[in-house]
Every structure is written in structure tokens, then in C-alpha cells.
Amino acid sequence: MTHVTINNLTKIYPGTDKPALDDLSLEIPSGELTALLGPSGCGKTTTMKMIAGLLTPTSGGIAFDGRSILRDKPEHRGVVMVFQNYLLFPYMSVADNVGFGLRMRKRPKQEIAHRVQEMLELVKLPDLGDRKPSELSGGQQQRVALARALIVQPKVLLLDEPLSNLDAHLRFEMRDLIRSLQQEMGITTIFVTHDQEEAVVLADKVALILHGNLCQYDVAEAFYRRPATEEVARFFGGHNFVPGLSADGRFESALGPMALPQGARTGRGTLTVRPEAIRIGKADENTLKVRVSERIYLGTQTRLKLTHDEATLDAVLSPDAVEGIAPGDEIDIHLPRQALWVLEDVA
Ligand code: ATP
């Protein structure tokens, strides 16, 4: 198992002046799955290519178990990268594709055949070894690509948007398969995605990168409960941001005084609460009257737009909770203390 350390990693492509990746530092523990999450162009693939040795960093370091790998050739790093467009060898059978890495390592034929069959069973394609990649569905091709990567037991597995070409149903299936294989084999894995849900479901820890900068590196839950900035909260679907002043365990703002959880930041700041944490009805604390300005049907849930003085709040509630509530109504809501979080005022 391999511990990955990324230190102040920066890449400025020739002919550009803005870094594609700016000063990234991450510790990825042995056997864990880390997601690099961010919108298109934020520098995710650039990071992966530097780890794989396909690109040279402008500055910074990458070490496996404390030893720098920057001087190692790509083929000596023990890294395998799986791209979104599979890149299987079209003229080779599925079995030959899967066994490719072991043939390159000159393993005995019998061992290769045995390991290939083992891998095909693991990715649930035990009977398709004789087919050509063109005779497989997209999802099956992706499984073959995964088997071909895992068979060499890499120190580090890099998955670059491996699910983006699959339809929703297959994505779920592959997600579960990747997670179970990764855990079973204990391979340190870095997974690139622009899909927040995918990152949250798959990863032990998520690194959110926006405009080439690391914004937060944490367990998934922290992005919902303790976002580092308003931009992070917004990326994770946060909507409610109310400016005010935090002092003595209370937040004063257009919402009125709100009791804060222990450890909340003090001074000028922005109060945030997840739309799905807002509750209808009164409670012992943090209750306020709001006017319903809009009601939007979301399918399994309903979004209410609420106003109180100058402040607006978005609440996402179950069908039961919003029954009989219409635009124009005045209702009581409460904001559970533990769901509140104060962001630093950066303005
Ligand atoms: P996507 O999700 O679309 O793959 P990404 O987060 O992986 O995006 P990168 O491919 O790492 O983003 O690109 C980061 C930035 O670097 C982008 O602004 C991109 O235009 C730029 N870039 C990538 N490759 C090169 C290159 N060879 N020369 C110059 N700029 C590049």
C-alpha cells in the first residue's frame, strides 16, 4: 500500500501565464480513495498527468511513501491511469487486453491466463474473454479497462472521469464495483470527477479544486456541514447566505438573533444553513416567521423560497412537510442550531 504526498505542486503550461494548477498540497493515505472534484478546466487532469509522469511539474513535488517519484520514468512509477474513453486495444481479444500488463512484465503464460480469468470474474465478465472490445457495450468496455489496470496491482490507481460516458444506471453499477474492488485490493486511488454526488459517494476524502486552487480537502460530510467558503458551499448546492455579526454564541442578522453551535466563528461573517436542514414549525430556539414567496416542485421534494425582512432563504422539504403551504402564506420555521455555520467574511 502506498501513501501519496503532493507538495506545492504547480503547473504553468508553456505560452500561458496563469497556472493550470497552483500550489496543490495533499496527503493521500495508503489504501484510500481520494476524489479530485471540480468543474471543467480546473486542473484535475493536469494533476493526474503529473502523478502518472505524462507531464513535468513547473514546481513542487510528488512522493510515494516519502520518496520523490519525479525522476522516475512513467513505467517505473507503479501508476496506472484509466481514462474516460477506455483506450482498449481494438484488435486484441478482451482477455489479451486484460493480460497486456503482465505480458509486458514477461510473466509466465499460465500465470497470465489464470490472473486474467480471475480479473474477468472480479469485474463480472467471466465469459467474454474471447470477444473483441467492439463486441462489448460501453459499460463492459469500461470494466475491461478497469481489469486491465488492476491486474498489474499498481501502487496508485488514477481514474480520470471513468464513468462520464456511461448512462445513469451503469454509472451506479460501476461506482459500486470500483469502490468494492478498490477496498478489497487496498489500492491507493485518485478519482477525477466534476460530479459532486459521485465524489461524495465514492471517496474517503474529497479535494475540491476551483480555478486551479485547492479550496477544501476533507471528508464528504464536511462540505455540507462545515464548508470553507461561500464558493465551496455553493458548489455543493448551498443557497442560504445571510451577512451579520457573530458574538457570544449568537448570530445577529436580518433573520434576528440565532443561537449558534459551539465553536462557531466570531466577528463579522455570513450565516449559512443547508436548504434541507430548515424545518417547518416552532421550536425552543431559532424560530422565525417567514413569508412564502415561491413554491417549486422538484419531484421527490419541494423547494420553498422564503423571505424575512431583507433576508431570503431557500428550504427544500418533503411533500408531507409542505402540504397546504402556498405562496403568500406566512409560516413559522426554525433553523436547528447544529445546522448553522458561520463563514468568514472575505469582503
Ligand atoms: P476537464 O474536466 O474538462 O477535463 P480539468 O479540470 O481536467 O478539465 P485540465 O485538463 O487539467 O482541466 O486543464 C486545466 C487548464 O489548463 C485549462 O484551463 C486548460 O485549458 C489548460 N491546459 C490543459 N492542457 C494544456 C496545454 N497542453 N497547454 C496549455 N493549456 C493547457
Side-chain angles (χ1 to χ4, degrees):
M1 295 230 271
T2 303
H3 176 107
V4 178
T5 308
I6 297 175
N7 254 330
N8 308 107
L9 194 64
T10 298
K11 179 69 189 178
I12 304 173
Y13 284 103
T16 64
D17 45 9
K18 222 179 127 293
L21 185 75
D22 193 6
D23 205 26
L24 176 74
S25 294
L26 286 180
E27 290 283 345
I28 303 172
S30 281
E32 284 202 358
L33 193 155
T34 286
L36 297 187
L37 172 68
S40 181
C42 75
K44 306 181 298 288
T45 302
T46 299
T47 308
M48 298 286 252
K49 284 185 174 167
M50 288 193 279
I51 300 171
L54 307 175
L55 260 184
T56 311
T58 305
S59 57
I62 306 170
F64 290 176
D65 292 329
R67 193 186 76 80
S68 171
I69 56 153
L70 288 186
R71 286 174 186 279
D72 298 350
K73 292 209 174 94
E75 60 273 25
H76 294 143
R77 293 188 179 191
V79 173
V80 175
M81 188 156 169
V82 178
F83 295 91
Q84 56 180 277
N85 45 359
Y86 327 135
L87 299 176
L88 297 176
F89 304 113
Y91 302 109
M92 281 185 200
S93 69
V94 164
D96 285 345
N97 263 282
V98 174
F100 181 78
L102 295 184
R103 282 203 304 285
M104 289 293 103
R105 286 165 177 73
K106 308 225 175 340
R107 306 304 307 165
K109 270 205 173 103
Q110 235 183 343
E111 179 196 326
I112 296 176
H114 175 73
R115 297 268 294 122
V116 165
Q117 195 51 35
E118 213 173 59
M119 284 315 301
L120 286 175
E121 276 164 29
L122 271 180
V123 298
K124 305 194 173 66
L125 297 173
D127 306 319
L128 300 188
D130 293 333
R131 292 220 194 146
K132 290 279 179 343
S134 60
E135 296 163 348
L136 300 181
S137 71
Q140 290 169 334
Q141 289 183 42
Q142 186 59 295
R143 283 161 191 251
V144 175
L146 193 62
R148 189 180 58 177
L150 290 172
I151 201 166
V152 297
Q153 296 180 310
K155 286 183 179 166
V156 177
L157 176 65
L158 304 178
L159 301 171
D160 193 354
E161 302 256 10
L163 311 182
S164 61
N165 285 345
L166 306 177
D167 64 35
H169 172 72
L170 276 177
R171 263 212 302 275
F172 286 134
E173 234 182 74
M174 270 305 282
R175 204 161 76 179
D176 291 347
L177 182 68
I178 288 174
R179 190 58 172 148
S180 64
L181 287 180
Q182 186 269 334
Q183 282 178 338
E184 209 169 297
M185 300 177 82
I187 296 175
T188 310
T189 301
I190 307 175
F191 183 99
V192 157
T193 180
H194 62 270
D195 182 325
Q196 149 217 340
E197 188 194 322
E198 207 159 275
V200 163
V201 172
L202 262 172
D204 294 298
K205 276 178 100 180
V206 178
L208 176 62
I209 301 176
L210 299 173
H211 340 287
N213 293 104
L214 180 68
C215 296
Q216 190 165 349
Y217 180 45
D218 225 324
V219 293
E221 199 196 347
F223 289 85
Y224 296 90
R225 300 186 72 93
R226 303 183 297 277
T229 62
E230 184 170 328
E231 199 179 22
V232 170
R234 284 190 190 280
F235 192 87
F236 273 78
H239 280 272
N240 301 318
F241 303 99
V242 183
L245 184 68
S246 167
D248 303 326
R250 297 178 92 68
F251 194 85
E252 295 287 348
S253 72
L255 297 174
M258 291 286 146
L260 292 171
Q262 268 201 342
R265 186 191 305 279
T266 55
R268 296 219 65 80
T270 300
L271 186 76
T272 185
V273 56
R274 297 283 312 173
E276 56 284 356
I278 295 177
R279 297 280 170 268
I280 304 270
K282 292 184 174 170
D284 294 343
E285 60 180 14
N286 294 358
T287 299
L288 69 158
K289 254 197 194 336
V290 292
R291 184 171 295 280
V292 179
S293 61
E294 229 180 301
R295 178 184 162 126
I296 303 159
Y297 180 63
L298 302 177
T300 53
Q301 290 177 303
T302 295
R303 184 183 295 276
L304 295 184
K305 293 204 172 284
L306 310 167
T307 56
H308 178 96
D309 283 348
E310 312 264 274
T312 59
L313 290 173
D314 256 34
V316 172
L317 296 147
S318 70
D320 287 353
V322 295
E323 208 174 307
I325 297 177
D329 287 356
E330 214 173 54
I331 59 171
D332 289 312
I333 61 165
H334 64 275
L335 311 182
R337 183 197 288 235
Q338 290 310 325
L340 300 183
W341 180 245
V342 181
L343 298 166
E344 190 177 3
D345 210 353
V346 285

